[in-house]
Amino acid sequence: MNASQTLDPLLDPACCPPAGPALGAEEAKEAALVFKALSDPNRLRLLSLVKAGESGERCVCDLTEPLDLGQPTVSHHLKILVDAGLLHREKRGTWAYYSIVPGALEHAAGLVAAL
């Protein structure tokens, strides 16, 4: 074996060329934002509650009691879900209504599948 050869086939690109492009920095940031938003049980419950709403939306006033959390805490979790692109927020008078962004859950599943 000469000096340019390696004993580890995983380190030799001629032996095992990559199957496809690796996750880029921006893609990783986007995926991490979504995964972080989904990593909290209260946020998962909020997504489920919003999705289960009769019209596919829920008023923030209907989300505090099922989670047994205060309004500021629920609003904090909802903001994280909105910032991650999973929920849409619409202000109506003094209340905010939330709905699932169309295709957002499928997109999140695709982020996992792309790894």
Side-chain angles (χ1 to χ4, degrees), residues 2-106:
N2 65 37
S4 66
Q5 292 176 319
T6 178
L7 293 174
D8 187 348
L10 295 177
L11 299 177
D12 184 357
C15 173
C16 304
L23 194 61
E26 281 304 310
E27 294 167 315
K29 281 183 183 179
E30 175 191 347
L33 184 66
V34 172
F35 296 154
K36 183 176 180 182
L38 294 173
S39 70
D40 184 276
N42 290 312
R43 291 193 284 268
L44 289 175
R45 291 187 64 207
L46 283 167
L47 282 173
S48 178
L49 287 165
V50 170
K51 187 176 179 187
E54 281 185 29
S55 59
E57 67 179 12
R58 277 291 188 60
C59 176
V60 68
C61 62
D62 297 327
L63 298 172
T64 55
E65 187 178 322
L67 271 64
D68 196 27
L69 295 172
Q71 185 274 329
T73 302
V74 170
S75 291
H76 168 74
H77 287 305
L78 289 167
K79 181 182 181 332
I80 290 171
L81 292 167
V82 168
D83 290 347
L86 297 167
L87 287 181
H88 170 76
R89 179 183 186 266
E90 182 180 334
K91 184 89 165 145
R92 296 183 200 158
T94 58
W95 296 110
Y97 287 78
Y98 292 86
S99 58
I100 304 282
V101 172
L105 298 179
E106 294 79 8

